[in-house]
Amino acid sequence: MFPGGARPVFATTHWSVVRAAGAEASAAAHEALETLCRAYWPPLYAYARRRGHGPEEALDLTQEFFLRLVERRWTNAADPAQGRFRSFLLGAFNHFLANERHHARARKRGGQACFLPLDAGEAETALGGTAATTDTPETLYERRWAETLIAGVLRRLAGEYAAHPHGWENLRPFVVETRREHSLLATAARLGVSESALRSVVHRLRRRWQELVREEVAHTVADPADIEPELRHLITLFQV
């Protein structure tokens, strides 16, 4: 399911995004904030829920955290040499939760405060499918990070294959499910193409899937040497 082998390293990492988010207020900083929020609010929300906060409170806390992350320039303290970006983010979130313990609230700033529409219902649905009772808040945070990353890859792949003659919905199972060999034949027959032709399409699809997973993981590290360990870690998070 996940890739190995050498691939190009991508310059735009979450570390570089967080630097942009910590810059002076600008359209670029706002865009950087949205990028970070989209990638990390689901795992942070899950972490807050496992720490005992209710759905609305967890949503408010997550939203407030990202606002403060930029406004108070907490991102300037982020040091790629200190390890994974998501570990820095979780540490900052823990510090924030400790300070908010007795007066947790969301500031009401009108429409501009909600810089990204966060959906507690969607998060709760995902949480219900992820949160094994034995998961610690930290483990749940890691799992939701992995699931969010993979969901983003699937969206990118769906966009690339949206206009494919075979249709994304027909091809998607060959990426996300374990398919027996006869399924390839059955799908080819249903689509009216040869098995060998479909096999070639699926091969290219899976290769592109692997490239995109690797690219997304590369975004999360500062050192290219960390890509392979992170890919292995990603695999372990789905082996439960």
Side-chain angles (χ1 to χ4, degrees), residues 65-85:
F65 170 71
F66 279 105
L67 289 169
R68 293 194 191 183
L69 189 71
V70 171
E71 289 183 351
R72 301 190 181 183
R73 307 290 174 83
W74 291 347
T75 51
N76 291 337
D79 182 2
Q82 297 303 310
R84 296 166 172 168
F85 173 72

mmCIF file of all heavy atoms in Angstrom, residues 65-85:
data_model
loop_
_atom_site.group_PDB
_atom_site.id
_atom_site.type_symbol
_atom_site.label_atom_id
_atom_site.label_comp_id
_atom_site.label_asym_id
_atom_site.label_seq_id
_atom_site.Cartn_x
_atom_site.Cartn_y
_atom_site.Cartn_z
ATOM 1 N N PHE A 65 -6.672 27.533 19.189
ATOM 2 C CA PHE A 65 -5.244 27.222 19.183
ATOM 3 C C PHE A 65 -4.577 27.705 17.902
ATOM 4 O O PHE A 65 -3.511 28.325 17.943
ATOM 5 C CB PHE A 65 -5.041 25.713 19.333
ATOM 6 C CG PHE A 65 -3.624 25.270 19.106
ATOM 7 C CD1 PHE A 65 -2.622 25.566 20.017
ATOM 8 C CD2 PHE A 65 -3.285 24.558 17.961
ATOM 9 C CE1 PHE A 65 -1.308 25.161 19.801
ATOM 10 C CE2 PHE A 65 -1.986 24.152 17.735
ATOM 11 C CZ PHE A 65 -0.994 24.453 18.663
ATOM 12 N N PHE A 66 -5.192 27.438 16.757
ATOM 13 C CA PHE A 66 -4.583 27.856 15.500
ATOM 14 C C PHE A 66 -4.551 29.375 15.369
ATOM 15 O O PHE A 66 -3.588 29.939 14.823
ATOM 16 C CB PHE A 66 -5.312 27.224 14.315
ATOM 17 C CG PHE A 66 -4.886 25.818 14.041
ATOM 18 C CD1 PHE A 66 -5.702 24.754 14.383
ATOM 19 C CD2 PHE A 66 -3.660 25.543 13.468
ATOM 20 C CE1 PHE A 66 -5.309 23.445 14.154
ATOM 21 C CE2 PHE A 66 -3.247 24.244 13.231
ATOM 22 C CZ PHE A 66 -4.076 23.185 13.573
ATOM 23 N N LEU A 67 -5.569 30.057 15.870
ATOM 24 C CA LEU A 67 -5.550 31.515 15.851
ATOM 25 C C LEU A 67 -4.388 32.054 16.676
ATOM 26 O O LEU A 67 -3.650 32.931 16.240
ATOM 27 C CB LEU A 67 -6.877 32.058 16.377
ATOM 28 C CG LEU A 67 -8.091 31.866 15.463
ATOM 29 C CD1 LEU A 67 -9.374 32.201 16.210
ATOM 30 C CD2 LEU A 67 -7.969 32.738 14.228
ATOM 31 N N ARG A 68 -4.219 31.521 17.857
ATOM 32 C CA ARG A 68 -3.134 31.997 18.722
ATOM 33 C C ARG A 68 -1.761 31.591 18.184
ATOM 34 O O ARG A 68 -0.782 32.301 18.404
ATOM 35 C CB ARG A 68 -3.317 31.463 20.135
ATOM 36 C CG ARG A 68 -4.533 32.030 20.838
ATOM 37 C CD ARG A 68 -4.463 31.748 22.312
ATOM 38 N NE ARG A 68 -5.724 32.055 22.968
ATOM 39 C CZ ARG A 68 -5.896 31.944 24.282
ATOM 40 N NH1 ARG A 68 -4.913 31.528 25.049
ATOM 41 N NH2 ARG A 68 -7.076 32.232 24.815
ATOM 42 N N LEU A 69 -1.726 30.446 17.543
ATOM 43 C CA LEU A 69 -0.467 29.956 16.994
ATOM 44 C C LEU A 69 0.189 31.006 16.114
ATOM 45 O O LEU A 69 1.409 31.195 16.127
ATOM 46 C CB LEU A 69 -0.723 28.678 16.187
ATOM 47 C CG LEU A 69 0.485 27.883 15.703
ATOM 48 C CD1 LEU A 69 1.171 27.191 16.868
ATOM 49 C CD2 LEU A 69 0.043 26.846 14.670
ATOM 50 N N VAL A 70 -0.641 31.717 15.354
ATOM 51 C CA VAL A 70 -0.129 32.738 14.450
ATOM 52 C C VAL A 70 -0.055 34.102 15.138
ATOM 53 O O VAL A 70 0.952 34.796 15.077
ATOM 54 C CB VAL A 70 -0.991 32.810 13.178
ATOM 55 C CG1 VAL A 70 -0.601 34.013 12.334
ATOM 56 C CG2 VAL A 70 -0.836 31.525 12.379
ATOM 57 N N GLU A 71 -1.144 34.479 15.809
ATOM 58 C CA GLU A 71 -1.199 35.817 16.400
ATOM 59 C C GLU A 71 -0.074 36.053 17.401
ATOM 60 O O GLU A 71 0.469 37.155 17.498
ATOM 61 C CB GLU A 71 -2.552 36.028 17.074
ATOM 62 C CG GLU A 71 -3.699 36.172 16.087
ATOM 63 C CD GLU A 71 -5.006 36.441 16.803
ATOM 64 O OE1 GLU A 71 -5.043 36.346 18.045
ATOM 65 O OE2 GLU A 71 -5.986 36.752 16.111
ATOM 66 N N ARG A 72 0.261 35.026 18.169
ATOM 67 C CA ARG A 72 1.295 35.177 19.192
ATOM 68 C C ARG A 72 2.657 34.668 18.721
ATOM 69 O O ARG A 72 3.589 34.535 19.510
ATOM 70 C CB ARG A 72 0.862 34.468 20.472
ATOM 71 C CG ARG A 72 -0.463 35.029 20.999
ATOM 72 C CD ARG A 72 -0.805 34.538 22.367
ATOM 73 N NE ARG A 72 -2.085 35.073 22.813
ATOM 74 C CZ ARG A 72 -2.621 34.861 24.024
ATOM 75 N NH1 ARG A 72 -1.962 34.118 24.904
ATOM 76 N NH2 ARG A 72 -3.781 35.389 24.342
ATOM 77 N N ARG A 73 2.708 34.339 17.428
ATOM 78 C CA ARG A 73 3.966 33.925 16.797
ATOM 79 C C ARG A 73 4.593 32.706 17.470
ATOM 80 O O ARG A 73 5.817 32.597 17.565
ATOM 81 C CB ARG A 73 4.970 35.097 16.786
ATOM 82 C CG ARG A 73 4.434 36.385 16.176
ATOM 83 C CD ARG A 73 4.249 36.255 14.676
ATOM 84 N NE ARG A 73 3.594 37.441 14.134
ATOM 85 C CZ ARG A 73 4.240 38.565 13.818
ATOM 86 N NH1 ARG A 73 5.532 38.653 14.015
ATOM 87 N NH2 ARG A 73 3.571 39.575 13.308
ATOM 88 N N TRP A 74 3.760 31.799 17.967
ATOM 89 C CA TRP A 74 4.308 30.578 18.548
ATOM 90 C C TRP A 74 5.087 29.781 17.516
ATOM 91 O O TRP A 74 6.001 29.032 17.850
ATOM 92 C CB TRP A 74 3.177 29.702 19.098
ATOM 93 C CG TRP A 74 2.499 30.264 20.304
ATOM 94 C CD1 TRP A 74 2.926 31.297 21.091
ATOM 95 C CD2 TRP A 74 1.250 29.834 20.859
ATOM 96 N NE1 TRP A 74 2.035 31.530 22.095
ATOM 97 C CE2 TRP A 74 0.987 30.655 21.981
ATOM 98 C CE3 TRP A 74 0.332 28.834 20.518
ATOM 99 C CZ2 TRP A 74 -0.155 30.499 22.770
ATOM 100 C CZ3 TRP A 74 -0.801 28.684 21.300
ATOM 101 C CH2 TRP A 74 -1.034 29.499 22.406
ATOM 102 N N THR A 75 4.718 29.957 16.262
ATOM 103 C CA THR A 75 5.397 29.211 15.199
ATOM 104 C C THR A 75 6.877 29.573 15.102
ATOM 105 O O THR A 75 7.680 28.785 14.602
ATOM 106 C CB THR A 75 4.717 29.494 13.851
ATOM 107 O OG1 THR A 75 4.609 30.914 13.673
ATOM 108 C CG2 THR A 75 3.336 28.881 13.804
ATOM 109 N N ASN A 76 7.237 30.753 15.583
ATOM 110 C CA ASN A 76 8.642 31.155 15.514
ATOM 111 C C ASN A 76 9.525 30.316 16.429
ATOM 112 O O ASN A 76 10.747 30.323 16.295
ATOM 113 C CB ASN A 76 8.782 32.638 15.866
ATOM 114 C CG ASN A 76 8.187 33.540 14.797
ATOM 115 O OD1 ASN A 76 8.052 33.145 13.645
ATOM 116 N ND2 ASN A 76 7.796 34.742 15.178
ATOM 117 N N ALA A 77 8.900 29.613 17.368
ATOM 118 C CA ALA A 77 9.659 28.753 18.277
ATOM 119 C C ALA A 77 9.884 27.362 17.698
ATOM 120 O O ALA A 77 10.592 26.548 18.274
ATOM 121 C CB ALA A 77 8.943 28.642 19.616
ATOM 122 N N ALA A 78 9.257 27.098 16.555
ATOM 123 C CA ALA A 78 9.382 25.781 15.939
ATOM 124 C C ALA A 78 10.788 25.596 15.376
ATOM 125 O O ALA A 78 11.270 26.416 14.603
ATOM 126 C CB ALA A 78 8.353 25.618 14.826
ATOM 127 N N ASP A 79 11.436 24.519 15.765
ATOM 128 C CA ASP A 79 12.806 24.243 15.338
ATOM 129 C C ASP A 79 12.849 22.874 14.678
ATOM 130 O O ASP A 79 12.672 21.852 15.353
ATOM 131 C CB ASP A 79 13.744 24.276 16.541
ATOM 132 C CG ASP A 79 15.198 24.039 16.145
ATOM 133 O OD1 ASP A 79 15.471 23.888 14.934
ATOM 134 O OD2 ASP A 79 16.049 24.002 17.053
ATOM 135 N N PRO A 80 13.067 22.814 13.365
ATOM 136 C CA PRO A 80 13.111 21.516 12.668
ATOM 137 C C PRO A 80 14.128 20.552 13.261
ATOM 138 O O PRO A 80 13.942 19.337 13.177
ATOM 139 C CB PRO A 80 13.492 21.902 11.230
ATOM 140 C CG PRO A 80 13.038 23.309 11.090
ATOM 141 C CD PRO A 80 13.234 23.942 12.443
ATOM 142 N N ALA A 81 15.178 21.073 13.876
ATOM 143 C CA ALA A 81 16.213 20.213 14.447
ATOM 144 C C ALA A 81 15.714 19.442 15.663
ATOM 145 O O ALA A 81 16.340 18.469 16.097
ATOM 146 C CB ALA A 81 17.437 21.036 14.824
ATOM 147 N N GLN A 82 14.584 19.876 16.225
ATOM 148 C CA GLN A 82 14.075 19.251 17.438
ATOM 149 C C GLN A 82 13.180 18.039 17.171
ATOM 150 O O GLN A 82 12.702 17.417 18.109
ATOM 151 C CB GLN A 82 13.299 20.285 18.271
ATOM 152 C CG GLN A 82 14.139 21.445 18.754
ATOM 153 C CD GLN A 82 15.333 20.987 19.579
ATOM 154 O OE1 GLN A 82 15.179 20.192 20.500
ATOM 155 N NE2 GLN A 82 16.507 21.492 19.231
ATOM 156 N N GLY A 83 12.937 17.713 15.904
ATOM 157 C CA GLY A 83 12.158 16.516 15.613
ATOM 158 C C GLY A 83 10.969 16.771 14.715
ATOM 159 O O GLY A 83 10.924 17.744 13.978
ATOM 160 N N ARG A 84 9.990 15.888 14.777
ATOM 161 C CA ARG A 84 8.817 15.945 13.912
ATOM 162 C C ARG A 84 8.012 17.217 14.168
ATOM 163 O O ARG A 84 7.833 17.622 15.305
ATOM 164 C CB ARG A 84 7.917 14.747 14.154
ATOM 165 C CG ARG A 84 8.541 13.410 13.813
ATOM 166 C CD ARG A 84 7.695 12.299 14.401
ATOM 167 N NE ARG A 84 8.135 10.981 13.948
ATOM 168 C CZ ARG A 84 7.718 9.838 14.494
ATOM 169 N NH1 ARG A 84 6.856 9.866 15.496
ATOM 170 N NH2 ARG A 84 8.147 8.686 14.035
ATOM 171 N N PHE A 85 7.488 17.777 13.099
ATOM 172 C CA PHE A 85 6.675 18.970 13.249
ATOM 173 C C PHE A 85 5.424 18.679 14.065
ATOM 174 O O PHE A 85 5.012 19.478 14.905
ATOM 175 C CB PHE A 85 6.274 19.536 11.887
ATOM 176 C CG PHE A 85 5.298 20.669 11.995
ATOM 177 C CD1 PHE A 85 5.703 21.905 12.466
ATOM 178 C CD2 PHE A 85 3.962 20.492 11.675
ATOM 179 C CE1 PHE A 85 4.807 22.945 12.596
ATOM 180 C CE2 PHE A 85 3.055 21.527 11.806
ATOM 181 C CZ PHE A 85 3.489 22.758 12.267
#
